[in-house]
Amino acid sequence: MSGAIAASHRPCKPPPSLLAPRRLALTTPLKSVALLLLAGAALFLYSQTAARSSVSSGAARPLYSPTVESVGGARAIWELPAAAPARAVLFIAHGCRCHPENFWPPSSRCPGCVGLPEDVAITVRALERRFAVLAVASARECWSLGREVSATKRAIRSWAAKNGLGGLPVVALGASSGGYFVSRLAAEMNLAAVVIMIAEGAFGSAGAPAAVYPPAMFVHMPKDRRRAALVERNSKMLMKSGVEVKELRSLELPLTPTLLSDRIPGLDRGLSEKIWTAFKDDGFIDEKGYMRDDGRATPWKDALVRRGLGEEVSQWAEHIQEELNLAYGYHEMTSLHADEMFDWIEKHLS
């Protein structure tokens, strides 16, 4: 590579297969071998770091043995917990331009997986708590709220029955476009709970959902004031209809020298510190370390390329982008409250 960092399309990116040729286009065979070795080392560090996190929590270690297949005609990735048997099913709906591959790290069973840190952290927590995890790709760039809802309902049920999970409670979690989608799915499918992340949900002009609606959790970022107001409106509407509602607010984080290495398994602490220094020197963060602008609007890639860090950062570009968006606290998948979220979910499984 010439040092340029691969273009990012966060909140999510195209399938990794579309980016791989561009990232591996090198000038010499020796350089190609070196980069392949580096990628292998990063994958090993990713799995080792995640394993240490799982062991330190005292929970069963996830095997990272996902299955990639078609479920109901849609591309899907799923995994059963290592500590059998599963106690519930967690269906995950990604956001616009996102993919199921974001929720698992690369492995021999899913070489196309991306493993974005916030997404994977949610998968890890779910597997540790004995949830069978199913992530399905939307038919188009974003989820639709018509026939796709009914098709997904059928897909979840058939997949659960096929894998001996038919009698288990089902929980749905969706972010952004996926949040709207699961809010509508909850009105058509018997769910134990629904988690609507960085979205206010889609309840239609009629207001309160028909029939029985499951307990609902809104996980949102109050810096997005417009969406926060809509979350408050819909929360009141649901509660007025007798629905249990829980709200979790994800606030902005200061960018510290080790925030990226702390939250991205496999990313070297030294690189994290170099990135922080560049952000500090270029004024991307204020005197307290907070991002001055959303990560998507910050020209951080150009700043790192100017410092000769382009190739070193390239393989982590999407991961870094996600954490910068999280730090700014406006619109991003978040695992910051994952334990509290799953504690709440588990109360509704019986």
Side-chain angles (χ1 to χ4, degrees):
M1 286 181 78
S2 62
I5 300 174
S8 173
H9 300 279
R10 284 298 302 169
C12 286
K13 69 179 186 178
S17 60
L18 299 180
L19 292 176
R22 182 170 51 189
R23 290 188 178 185
L24 295 179
L26 300 172
T27 56
T28 66
L30 181 60
K31 199 170 185 181
S32 178
V33 171
L35 185 54
L36 289 173
L37 289 173
L38 180 62
L43 174 57
F44 174 77
L45 286 172
Y46 200 126
S47 61
Q48 291 297 100
T49 304
R52 285 197 301 272
S53 173
S54 204
V55 170
S56 65
S57 69
R61 174 182 173 182
L63 292 177
Y64 285 133
S65 299
T67 296
V68 182
E69 64 178 5
S70 176
V71 173
R75 189 177 78 260
I77 305 178
W78 58 270
E79 183 170 356
L80 303 183
R87 64 185 303 193
V89 170
L90 175 66
F91 166 73
I92 300 177
H94 58 73
C96 287
R97 299 182 297 280
C98 298
H99 307 275
E101 287 82 357
N102 292 353
F103 292 89
W104 279 267
S107 68
S108 59
R109 294 182 62 89
C110 187
C113 279
V114 179
L116 295 184
E118 298 305 309
D119 310 51
V120 169
I122 290 174
T123 303
V124 169
R125 296 296 204 293
L127 292 172
E128 288 175 343
R129 292 176 181 245
R130 292 172 42 216
F131 284 77
V133 182
L134 170 66
V136 177
S138 59
R140 297 187 177 181
E141 188 174 85
C142 300
W143 292 93
S144 61
L145 303 180
R147 294 179 179 177
E148 196 165 18
V149 175
S150 299
T152 301
K153 173 184 173 180
R154 292 191 298 270
I156 294 172
R157 286 179 171 174
S158 64
W159 169 83
K162 177 183 176 182
N163 289 281
L165 308 170
L168 296 181
V170 178
V171 176
L173 180 155
S176 196
S177 170
Y180 296 109
F181 183 77
V182 298
S183 72
R184 189 63 62 85
L185 179 68
E188 296 192 18
M189 183 176 183
N190 182 23
L191 298 177
V194 60
V195 178
I196 303 167
M197 187 176 290
I198 53 174
E200 70 274 15
F203 300 103
S205 58
V212 178
Y213 200 80
M217 170 179 281
F218 290 94
V219 182
H220 69 103
M221 298 179 168
K223 180 179 279 188
D224 184 347
R225 296 181 180 179
R226 175 183 172 277
R227 197 176 310 278
L230 293 173
V231 166
E232 181 179 7
R233 182 199 69 184
N234 287 346
S235 294
K236 291 179 179 178
M237 176 271 296
L238 289 172
M239 288 188 287
K240 187 176 180 180
S241 300
V243 177
E244 179 186 337
V245 176
K246 174 75 172 179
E247 178 184 356
L248 290 180
R249 298 184 176 192
S250 183
L251 305 178
E252 60 184 335
L253 298 172
L255 191 68
T256 66
T258 62
L259 178 73
L260 296 178
S261 56
D262 288 342
R263 299 195 65 82
I264 303 175
L267 191 144
D268 178 73
R269 174 171 179 162
L271 178 58
S272 180
E273 292 172 344
K274 291 176 184 176
I275 295 172
W276 178 83
T277 298
F279 275 53
K280 180 173 173 288
D281 292 346
D282 282 20
F284 296 156
I285 55 177
D286 64 21
E287 62 280 359
K288 294 182 179 180
Y290 289 97
M291 295 282 294
R292 294 185 185 276
D293 206 345
D294 185 77
R296 303 172 186 89
T298 301
W300 61 272
K301 300 182 190 70
D302 293 338
L304 297 183
V305 167
R306 289 196 301 270
R307 289 168 170 80
L309 298 174
E311 288 191 12
E312 192 174 1
V313 167
S314 181
Q315 65 174 311
W316 302 112
E318 302 297 333
H319 306 70
I320 293 170
Q321 185 71 74
E322 182 170 71
E323 292 305 318
L324 296 180
N325 299 341
L326 178 72
Y328 185 67
Y330 187 83
H331 191 81
E332 186 55 83
M333 172 75 71
T334 174
S335 68
L336 289 175
H337 306 284
D339 288 327
E340 187 176 356
M341 179 181 75
F342 278 107
D343 286 345
W344 178 83
I345 289 173
E346 288 177 347
K347 293 178 181 178
H348 299 92
L349 295 183
S350 56

